[in-house]
Amino acid sequence: MVAVLTSSAQAKRLRRWRILRLGAFLFAIIVGNGPFAVSWTATRYEQWQSHRPDYMRAYGRWDVVADSATRSIHAAMLRTGKVLLMAGSGNDQGNFDAKKFRTVLWDPIANTFADVHTPWDVFCSGHAFLPDGNLLIAGGTKKYELLAADAPDGKKHEYEGLKDSYIFDPATERYEKTGDLNHARWYPTLVTLANGLVVAVSGLDDNGNIDQGNTESFNPAVRTWNDHPDLRKVFPTYPSLLLAGDGRLFFSGANAGYGPAGVAERQPGLWNLVNNAFQPVDGLPEPELNETAGTIMLAPAQEQKVMFIAGGGVGDTQTATARTAIVDLDSPDPTYRRGPDMAEAKRYPGAVILPDDTVLVSGGSTAYRADDSRTAEIYHPDTNAFTAAADPHVGRDYHSEYLLLPDGRVAVFGSNPLSDDNAFETRVEVYSPGYLYRGERPTITSAPTQIPRGSTITVGSSQPVAKARLIRPGAYTHVTDTEQRSVALPVVRQVDSRVTLSVPRNSNLLPSDWYMLFVTNGAGVPSVATWVQVG
């Protein structure tokens, strides 16, 4: 017994001696390398803290998962589960002159990238999903800008747009040429209507002038564009347009890029595509700061509430705001009401609907293409409040994209801060929300592939279902995503492992397309999505 005690005492003394020696060693490092040591210590502590189970349950987690080696300007979540990253010339005059245009496909499961032949400069085009899940892309770059100092006439020449139009087929993973636009467009917005037609508005024309209200629509049945001279509406470039439940297009007031500072062109409102009438929506706080702002239709889409997020002044002004505002489009007199302020003022915020009806708001910059904001927040529609989320590792501003993945995570791409060397962020970072660390996920064991509107469907689930959502995949560029929406499928009945869900009839609320079907349990934990086609 005495020998054992002596051995134990010796072991304790040895441990104390090692701890003291380590402490002395660390002290010497800190004294000799103070700033480095403090930074190293803070980084290691941050890594340890961010990987604690209770921290991840509360705030989620960010991980840099890959480097795309691509200057992604546009990103779209395809029905195959892959992500289309479109760069074109990638805001690089040298690439443009060499006709070096790029697109890659990212497979989030295999974490691999594959090049796709790109026949035109897709840089700064517009895009929207067709009812069959193919992606329509229209416009692009005909010519880069020429600064006054470099121009023979001493005047600045703006970017010039293209009439090119293509469809990307996720099955063949190829671009297919369609009929050309009637009007060249650079920085346009495309939005799909309930009847399957796609409307294109705004942009710079083939002379670098802002489009003066020309409206045209794409007919997927014949793959041609039709001009609509009776529908004229002037917008700034990349206007944020959403299809409302009554069939009108809601212009939130947000835009990116170019446009006059006048009030009329930036007035939020509901645009009627039958008679060209425009109903103004007033009440937006700080309306002079609506450029580079985000817009998102809150979940569920049946409530027709749209959130306006952050933004800045017109052009390259440095001003930014932390304000949000919410409008109920179902109101007889829809008017913006101020929402909760974010923790930080920013331009270019990324906003993504999550399967539990919350919204991730991340990234952005506190000035014009500068001072990246490495913060993230979660907006809760039920309490009309933000809560903190884990901070991303990579800053994002202009030319960044945010997409919900079928596994419930959010992937983030791109960023092009203003710099002498035209720096571009190519790393892919993924946010795993806190719900992924709150217990076992439900599994969809069976579901129909085709879902008719106005019907009921039966879905198999490994756990009781608290709610079900159809989330339309995103197609994101320049703080604009006209596709993103989450539609509730009310629970009709639930017996054992089978739940019957009601599908809305309104095609303005639920346009034909491929959707991600999520079911969520009582703890707010969502399943991995199953792809279904609504039509």
Side-chain angles (χ1 to χ4, degrees), residues 154-501:
K155 298 179 181 179
K156 181 182 178 181
H157 296 255
E158 298 290 358
Y159 285 90
E160 296 176 5
L162 289 171
K163 293 184 178 181
D164 291 65
S165 174
Y166 287 81
I167 286 174
F168 185 82
D169 186 338
T172 63
E173 299 183 346
R174 294 291 182 268
Y175 288 110
E176 300 172 2
K177 190 75 174 72
T178 75
D180 284 347
L181 290 158
N182 294 285
H183 306 275
R185 300 184 188 273
W186 188 87
Y187 268 47
T189 290
L190 274 59
V191 57
T192 306
L193 305 180
N195 59 9
L197 300 182
V198 179
V199 170
V201 301
S202 192
L204 302 187
D205 65 18
D206 48 6
N207 292 310
N209 300 314
I210 294 176
D211 182 87
Q212 292 301 299
N214 296 297
T215 303
E216 55 189 307
S217 66
F218 179 79
N219 185 339
V222 292
R223 295 192 169 193
T224 58
W225 289 90
N226 298 311
D227 211 2
H228 298 283
D230 53 329
L231 295 176
R232 299 194 66 83
K233 183 75 179 76
V234 178
F235 291 103
T237 58
Y238 277 134
S240 180
L241 296 172
L242 298 173
L243 179 62
D246 63 5
R248 291 183 292 177
L249 291 183
F250 174 58
F251 171 47
S252 73
N255 83 288
Y258 299 76
V263 174
E265 294 83 359
R266 296 175 181 271
Q267 170 67 52
L270 286 154
W271 183 29
N272 192 319
L273 297 179
V274 175
N275 58 15
N276 203 40
F278 187 80
Q279 179 184 357
V281 171
D282 297 321
L284 181 64
E286 302 175 274
E288 73 281 4
L289 301 178
N290 60 358
E291 194 162 281
T292 63
T295 305
I296 197 161
M297 182 173 285
L298 297 175
Q302 282 91 332
E303 296 184 0
Q304 289 291 282
K305 292 181 179 177
V306 175
M307 189 176 198
F308 191 102
I309 305 168
V314 174
D316 58 0
T317 57
Q318 301 304 309
T319 311
T321 177
R323 64 87 162 83
T324 69
I326 299 170
V327 60
D328 181 355
L329 300 183
D330 271 346
S331 169
D333 183 23
T335 304
Y336 272 113
R337 306 294 181 191
R338 187 155 192 146
D341 283 0
M342 295 186 299
E344 189 174 42
K346 58 179 66 177
R347 304 170 70 120
Y348 320 104
V352 178
I353 305 170
L354 301 179
D356 64 353
D357 292 349
T358 62
V359 178
L360 171 69
V361 181
S362 178
S365 64
T366 57
Y368 178 75
R369 296 180 64 182
D371 301 322
D372 288 346
S373 170
R374 299 190 184 186
T375 62
E377 300 169 78
I378 302 290
Y379 174 72
H380 302 261
D382 53 346
T383 60
N384 190 32
F386 282 102
T387 58
D391 294 333
H393 304 295
V394 181
R396 309 281 178 175
D397 57 37
Y398 185 58
H399 287 158
S400 58
E401 306 88 43
Y402 300 75
L403 295 175
L404 176 68
L405 299 177
D407 62 9
R409 299 180 300 161
V410 175
V412 186
F413 315 89
S415 188
N416 188 191
L418 201 60
S419 63
D420 292 337
D421 60 353
N422 192 27
F424 208 106
E425 179 58 64
T426 59
R427 286 174 292 175
V428 178
E429 190 167 17
V430 172
Y431 176 66
S432 301
Y435 52 58
L436 296 181
Y437 306 100
R438 296 174 192 157
E440 184 181 356
R441 303 183 71 172
T443 300
I444 297 177
T445 58
S446 63
T449 304
Q450 303 289 325
I451 297 183
R453 281 185 295 267
S455 66
T456 58
I457 61 170
T458 300
V459 173
S461 174
S462 64
Q463 298 179 24
V465 174
K467 60 186 177 185
R469 297 290 183 265
L470 288 175
I471 300 185
R472 196 174 189 195
Y476 198 106
T477 188
H478 292 78
V479 212
T480 305
D481 188 345
T482 65
E483 310 287 34
Q484 202 177 170
R485 65 177 58 208
S486 176
V487 179
L489 300 183
V491 175
V492 176
R493 62 182 173 273
Q494 196 158 185
V495 179
D496 299 327
S497 62
R498 299 178 70 78
V499 58
T500 301
L501 306 170

Side-chain angles (χ1 to χ4, degrees), residues 35-49:
F36 169 78
V38 170
S39 175
W40 179 84
T41 303
T43 299
R44 293 300 295 269
Y45 174 78
E46 181 183 346
Q47 291 175 347
W48 171 80
Q49 169 79 346

Side-chain angles (χ1 to χ4, degrees), residues 67-72 85-87 102-104 113 424-426:
D67 191 326
S68 70
T70 303
R71 295 182 163 203
S72 55
L85 299 176
M86 296 166 277
R102 193 159 191 225
T103 299
V104 300
F113 297 87
F424 208 106
E425 179 58 64
T426 59

Side-chain angles (χ1 to χ4, degrees), residues 61-122:
R61 169 177 163 177
W62 290 88
D63 294 284
V64 177
V65 299
D67 191 326
S68 70
T70 303
R71 295 182 163 203
S72 55
I73 308 295
H74 315 264
M77 182 72 241
L78 305 177
R79 67 178 188 267
T80 57
K82 296 181 181 180
V83 175
L84 190 69
L85 299 176
M86 296 166 277
S89 58
N91 199 19
D92 186 288
Q93 177 82 53
N95 287 342
F96 179 82
D97 292 341
K99 299 188 183 302
K100 184 180 178 182
F101 308 140
R102 193 159 191 225
T103 299
V104 300
L105 268 174
W106 177 50
D107 184 334
I109 296 177
N111 201 17
T112 56
F113 297 87
D115 282 294
V116 174
H117 173 65
T118 309
W120 88 114
D121 194 3
V122 64

Side-chain angles (χ1 to χ4, degrees), residues 1-8:
M1 178 65 74
V2 174
V4 172
L5 289 174
T6 301
S7 176
S8 176

